[in-house]
Amino acid sequence: MPCIFVSRDQFPSVLYEKLRQVGELRVYPYGKPAWLTAGIPKDELKRAAEECDAMVVYIGDRVDAEVLSNARVKIISTVSVGYDHIDVAEARRRGIVVTNTPEVLVDATADLAVGILLALVRRIVEGDRLVREGKAYDIWGALMGSDLRGKRAGIVGLGNLGTAIAKRLLAFGAEVVYWSRNRKPQVEFALGIKYVDLDELLATSDFVILAVSLAPETRHLMNWERFQKMKRGAYLINVARGAVVDTEALIRALKEGILAGAALDVFEVEPLPHTHELTKFPNVVLTPHIGSAAEDTRRRMAEIAAENVVRFFRGERPLYVVA
Ligand code: DGY
């Protein structure tokens, strides 16, 4: 029976049940506190790649060229839509199949995007603190925020996630524009949203929402030059990948008042150290990469990740192949 490495023991049980139908599992006891490390040690990943036929990993597990340098593994199944933690080009070169779990997490992640946008612009986190701290507040003047109705939301990246965010924001009465590497005329037509170039999106949007995947072209897409192009007093929301934003430039934009605030579910370094400068801004909402962290969603992601491996070993095409 093939050896199947699974990088943690905390995935939904359906994943292990399904995988046991086609192989022998080697499950890494991922007991480390989440604030110490985002993924499992590199030497463990390398050993797994050398000794097992399949690997099931998560976004913190960095499967780079060194991990694959002596690999016997034939399929890497990530329990995520993103696969920037895997050196896909190297996997392809070695004939290793890489699979992911898109689609099922779109709604949950879009919900979170709108959730943190609202938390930011309606100052929900600040309000919670104010009440808990027992400070006096004026019920008319306290914590004035921004409407959504009538404001312009600029979505950067109109894949499944960007589209789902657009639908939600339209329901809130916002005007939605987007920029994407590939223009989507059907979505434009169906939703009544407008394509603009990135400079115009930045210059005119009240909320800029990042929904692009991380690739060499999108790394530090939001750099200092682009922050300077933003409408003064706009808000930035990032539910994509931390490295789409240059963190230093973001901090400067907050300090210089270009941004009225930011809501971030993803960071360049994860987990974000609690002493990080971003944690000092009251007008920044921070969540720990929980876009897909909803029970049914995570269970479906686990099921698909396992199904990809099961199909591979049965000689069928996995459901979602990225390489
Ligand atoms: C993904 O799947 O890529 C999300 O970022 C985490 O679940």
Side-chain angles (χ1 to χ4, degrees):
M1 267 199 145
C3 161
I4 303 175
F5 175 82
V6 184
S7 75
R8 54 192 70 206
D9 50 4
Q10 302 142 356
F11 288 124
S13 56
V14 62
L15 180 128
Y16 308 97
E17 286 153 20
K18 274 178 89 81
L19 290 175
R20 272 194 201 100
Q21 297 166 13
V22 290
E24 261 166 38
L25 303 197
R26 190 191 290 182
V27 180
Y28 185 77
Y30 190 81
K32 300 213 168 58
W35 57 87
L36 285 182
T37 168
I40 72 165
K42 192 168 187 158
D43 53 338
E44 296 287 350
L45 280 174
K46 191 163 178 344
R47 176 136 53 96
E50 286 166 9
E51 295 176 2
C52 284
D53 305 286
M55 289 169 81
V56 178
V57 297
Y58 192 55
I59 52 175
D61 305 321
R62 304 221 68 85
V63 185
D64 58 18
E66 196 191 326
V67 166
L68 297 178
S69 59
N70 206 11
R72 128 177 179 192
V73 74
K74 299 180 194 69
I75 174 168
I76 301 166
S77 166
T78 183
V79 194
S80 61
V81 59
Y83 47 86
D84 49 282
H85 53 295
I86 300 170
D87 188 334
V88 171
E90 182 63 17
R92 195 176 284 133
R93 212 176 60 74
R94 293 176 173 276
I96 301 167
V97 173
V98 179
T99 64
N100 68 343
T101 65
E103 299 187 304
V104 291
L105 46 54
V106 170
D107 284 328
T109 310
D111 291 347
L112 188 90
V114 176
I116 60 176
L117 186 155
L118 280 169
L120 174 67
V121 308
R122 296 303 308 275
R123 307 178 66 178
I124 293 171
V125 180
E126 285 175 85
D128 179 84
R129 262 186 231 128
L130 187 76
V131 175
R132 285 173 200 271
E133 284 168 5
K135 291 195 180 131
Y137 57 90
D138 170 5
I139 55 170
W140 171 258
L143 297 179
M144 200 64 74
S146 165
D147 291 286
L148 260 63
R149 179 164 301 280
K151 298 289 172 185
R152 178 175 269 210
I155 300 181
V156 177
L158 200 77
N160 289 343
L161 176 59
T163 306
I165 295 172
K167 286 181 187 162
R168 284 160 174 75
L169 292 178
L170 289 168
F172 280 91
E175 180 209 358
V176 176
V177 298
Y178 81 98
W179 172 81
S180 208
R181 280 172 289 175
N182 305 311
R183 202 169 159 174
K184 307 279 168 60
Q186 293 100 333
V187 184
E188 280 172 41
F189 193 78
L191 301 187
I193 64 175
K194 192 170 138 205
Y195 173 88
V196 292
D197 68 32
L198 186 54
D199 283 356
E200 184 181 339
L201 182 148
L202 295 174
T204 61
S205 296
D206 300 292
F207 318 125
V208 172
I209 301 125
L210 303 177
V212 278
S213 48
L214 179 62
E217 320 80 76
T218 56
R219 182 172 293 276
H220 286 192
L221 181 88
M222 286 308 298
N223 54 23
W224 177 237
E225 201 189 323
R226 293 225 167 85
F227 276 113
Q228 285 173 288
K229 291 181 176 165
M230 287 182 79
K231 179 173 178 179
R232 233 187 146 73
Y235 296 91
L236 182 80
I237 289 85
N238 189 6
V239 288
R241 280 292 183 268
V244 173
V245 176
D246 174 349
T247 309
E248 291 311 311
L250 165 65
I251 290 171
R252 188 167 168 198
L254 286 162
K255 283 186 176 158
E256 297 196 8
I258 295 174
L259 290 179
L264 312 168
D265 185 47
V266 288
F267 311 101
E268 285 199 84
V269 175
E270 291 181 357
L272 185 76
H274 75 282
T275 50
H276 195 280
E277 200 172 355
L278 280 173
T279 66
K280 310 285 185 273
F281 293 90
N283 54 340
V284 173
V285 170
L286 304 166
T287 50
H289 205 145
I290 52 171
S292 67
E295 256 176 57
D296 293 345
T297 294
R298 284 279 169 88
R299 192 168 45 247
R300 294 177 76 197
M301 289 166 70
E303 206 171 346
I304 291 169
E307 180 70 20
N308 283 332
V309 175
V310 168
R311 288 188 185 220
F312 178 84
F313 284 120
R314 292 197 173 140
E316 298 162 22
R317 186 178 166 77
L319 288 174
Y320 297 101
V321 176
V322 299

